Structures are given as structure tokens and as C-alpha cells.
Amino acid sequence: MKDALEAAGAVSHAAKVPILELVQELLVAVRPLWQQWDLMSKLDWLDCLAVRFWHVFESSSQLFSPTLSSYFETSDEPCGLLHSALHHGRSGAAVALVQCCAARVDWADDVGRNAVHVLTSSFADRVTNPGELEYACRAICRAPHAKAALNTHDKAGKTPIFSCLGMASRAPDAARIVMSTLVEFGADLGALDQGFDDERCYSMNVLDQAVHRRLWPAFQMLVKLGAWRSSNVDAVRAFLKERSAEDPDAAAEMTTLLCRQSTVFAWSVALDALTVPTVGVPPDVLVIEGLHSGSVGLPKDVVNELLDLKSLHLLPPSVELGRHAVHKITRNGQSFYFKERPELPAVEFAVHE
């Protein structure tokens, strides 16, 4: 089949037959044979056709749509074939089916997986050429109904972006292309896992799952894509602490990026920079009781900046707020305000509760 298409292209060039006419004639000639072919023969034909005449399909796909669409007896047939093309890594066939055969990317199979689900699993594992992978990803994500497909949960309770987690470890370059393309076209990084295959992952977003499963490559990619969506601060910070022992530079980079994405995360990091643990407290650490943080220690440099050590009162206020002294200390870009003898100390507790 491939040889025949190569020969047809040579004939077109030698006889100066317009390439559009030649492709149309090939499509018409093959139509009677289509229903006799098995699945792989159909994929071979579409793949070879699209790859051999890629520039023609890219610029004139609508011209061939009526003829190619007539190959199919039902509207679901090209959709099922699209899933097969993606599963077997046939990018040319997949693009041809989407662009010329009205294959819907939001059509779901028996387990609720649409074309984007298949794209992020089987297809990305089989296509090793980065340019080919990115072209096919973009063609699928640009298709009608793709926006809904990007964020649809399958029957296992997962949107397509969750399939990228494991891929990031076994095929990082492919995962980077697929994840960035999905996010560019509207994949929701805050979507929650609604499946029960692992109850510990239920209602986690994709970043929290990367942390839970200790998937460092996926975690890094997601953070660079701006994936913070009300994630678990304590779990993320514990994971970064683990990784800093093996990869301190990367862990520091991730921490910086997350501080830009989340004020809650930045506050947590800054609070750690301001305080020290109270276990085995050295004599030069001042222990204070926080309303929400419990007992924390203020190291010597913070105490010297904050208090008059003789009177244990705040130093002259650095901020003029209200009728009482308020002192501001800044760490990691976050400001902390210490107020001496607040007038209504129970109000904050009441509002918080």
C-alpha cells in the first residue's frame, strides 16, 4: 500500500497531474475495498495516505471530507477507528479521522474513555518522534468538542491529565509535550480524582496525587505548568524535604515556583524561616504560643529584631497601626506583624472558628 502511494506521487509529479485530483481519485478507487479490509489494513491506508500527502491534508482536508466520510456506514465507526489509531500509535490515521471523517474526540468507549484519554496513555507510549507526537496532540486538542473531552472523567473517575503521571517517569519528553499541550488547550489541573481504585487518592487533584505516589518527574512538570490548586501544603512540603536530600537544587527551584503560585504555600515557607522547632530548645530561643500554630520558637536573630531584651517589650514600632505597638518582620517576602497587648484577642479566634 505504501509503495502504491509512493508510485502514485511519482506519477503525479512526472505527468504533472494536480495532486488534489490524484488524491481524490485514490480515495474513490479505494472506497469499494474499504469494507473488505480488516482494522489494521484500514489504519495502514489512512496512515500512509495522510503521511504521504501530509501537506495536502493539512491545507485541503475539507475537500476530501465527503469522500472519506462515505467510507463509514455509521457515525460511530470513525470514532471507534480513531481510538484504534491512537491505541496503535498511528498519528497520520488519527489526524485524518479527526480532520476529514468527523471523528468526535469526545466519543467514549465502554469504559468511558474518550480520544484524549487514549492519547495520554497508549498513543504517547507508542509515538517516539517528538514532532509527530506534538502535531497529533494539537490536532486532537483543536478538534470540535475537544474542550469537553479534556476534562471528562472516565468510568474509573479520572480525567486525561491523570494518565500523564506515570508517563512522566517512563517517557519524560513525551509527558512534557502531552501535558503542556493539554494545559494549553484547557485541561483543568484542579480536577479531582473521582475513582475508588485507591481510596487514598479519592478527591485528590493531579499535583496531590504526584506527591502521594512520590512521582518526582511528574511533580516537577506539573509545578512548572502552574499546577497548584488548593493542594495539601503539609504533604507537598514534606515531599520537597525528602527530595532536597537527593536533589537540593531542583527542590529549591520547585519551592520558589510554588511560592509564586500560592500565598498559602509562601506563608508556610516564610513561617518556617521565621521560627524553629521547640523540641530540644536551646537557651537563646524564645518559645511563644500561637493561636493556630501551637508552640513555636523564635531564634535569636528574630528576638533581637523584635524585643527589648531587658523589658521583654516590643522595640519601637515599625508600623503605625492602632493604639498599640506593632512590629513587622519580613522573611522570604512575607511579612509578620507582632502586636503587643491586642485589645480584642478573642475576635480572631471567633472569626477563625
Side-chain angles (χ1 to χ4, degrees):
M1 189 177 296
K2 183 177 179 181
D3 292 341
L5 288 172
E6 294 286 351
V11 169
S12 168
H13 179 74
K16 298 189 174 160
V17 177
I19 193 69
L20 293 177
E21 290 183 16
L22 176 66
V23 173
Q24 190 71 284
E25 288 176 10
L26 283 170
L27 293 175
V28 172
V30 164
R31 186 167 51 193
L33 305 173
W34 177 262
Q35 295 302 330
Q36 302 172 27
W37 287 348
D38 60 15
L39 171 65
M40 296 311 298
S41 296
K42 291 176 179 179
L43 292 180
D44 284 343
W45 161 248
L46 290 174
D47 201 55
C48 290
L49 189 70
V51 172
R52 178 61 183 83
F53 300 112
W54 196 273
H55 61 292
V56 177
F57 273 82
E58 192 172 23
S59 60
S60 310
S61 59
Q62 295 307 310
L63 293 176
F64 309 124
S65 183
T67 307
L68 271 173
S69 295
S70 69
Y71 282 20
F72 305 101
E73 297 179 350
T74 68
S75 59
D76 284 351
E77 190 179 348
C79 303
L81 198 60
L82 173 60
H83 280 222
S84 296
L86 291 170
H87 178 72
H88 291 284
R90 303 300 182 88
S91 56
V95 173
L97 285 160
V98 169
Q99 293 182 345
C100 304
C101 305
R104 291 177 60 109
V105 298
D106 61 338
W107 180 86
D109 59 19
D110 293 342
V111 294
R113 300 202 322 157
N114 60 46
V116 187
H117 284 104
V118 185
L119 174 74
T120 57
S121 51
S122 308
F123 182 76
D125 282 334
R126 286 169 172 76
V127 178
T128 57
N129 183 292
E132 181 182 348
L133 177 61
E134 183 174 2
Y135 186 90
C137 285
R138 289 184 169 278
I140 298 295
C141 291
R142 280 197 207 100
H145 314 291
K147 190 166 185 180
L150 284 165
N151 296 307
T152 298
H153 289 82
D154 60 16
K155 290 185 179 179
K158 293 178 173 54
T159 61
I161 197 73
F162 284 93
S163 298
C164 298
L165 290 176
M167 189 202 316
S169 297
R170 65 179 182 269
D173 292 337
R176 197 171 292 108
I177 291 170
V178 174
M179 290 169 72
S180 60
T181 304
L182 263 59
V183 171
E184 177 185 342
F185 282 90
D188 181 10
L189 291 171
L192 302 180
D193 185 345
Q194 298 178 357
F196 289 96
D197 53 331
D198 185 345
E199 291 185 4
R200 294 169 299 176
C201 292
Y202 181 73
S203 287
M204 283 187 179
N205 61 38
V206 68
L207 185 66
D208 281 339
Q209 277 210 17
V211 171
H212 174 72
R213 295 165 57 183
R214 294 302 189 259
L215 299 174
W216 182 235
F219 178 85
Q220 290 176 279
M221 291 180 199
L222 287 165
V223 170
K224 290 177 181 178
L225 289 170
W228 184 273
R229 300 289 189 280
S230 301
S231 296
N232 186 318
V233 174
D234 292 338
V236 172
R237 295 209 58 209
F239 184 45
L240 285 169
K241 186 176 180 180
E242 288 176 20
R243 298 305 310 181
S244 64
E246 297 181 20
D247 198 352
D249 292 340
E253 180 190 7
M254 295 300 105
T255 300
T256 300
L257 290 174
L258 286 171
C259 285
R260 294 172 186 167
Q261 293 174 29
S262 168
T263 54
V264 175
F265 185 88
W267 171 267
S268 175
V269 172
L271 187 60
D272 271 5
L274 183 75
T275 61
V276 294
T278 56
V279 179
V281 182
D284 59 352
V285 169
L286 175 67
V287 178
I288 62 173
E289 187 75 21
L291 180 62
H292 308 305
S293 59
S295 296
V296 294
L298 297 180
K300 184 177 180 180
D301 64 308
V302 174
V303 173
N304 289 340
E305 189 177 340
L306 184 66
L307 296 175
D308 179 337
L309 296 180
K310 292 182 179 180
S311 66
L312 290 183
H313 289 295
L314 288 175
L315 290 168
S318 58
V319 180
E320 295 295 334
L321 290 174
R323 290 175 289 185
H324 291 218
V326 176
H327 203 92
K328 181 176 78 169
I329 293 180
T330 301
R331 291 292 185 276
N332 287 11
Q334 299 290 318
S335 295
F336 297 84
Y337 295 85
F338 294 81
K339 187 172 186 179
E340 190 171 342
R341 296 192 305 275
E343 292 184 54
L344 300 170
V347 171
E348 181 186 351
F349 179 78
V351 171
H352 178 75
E353 292 299 313

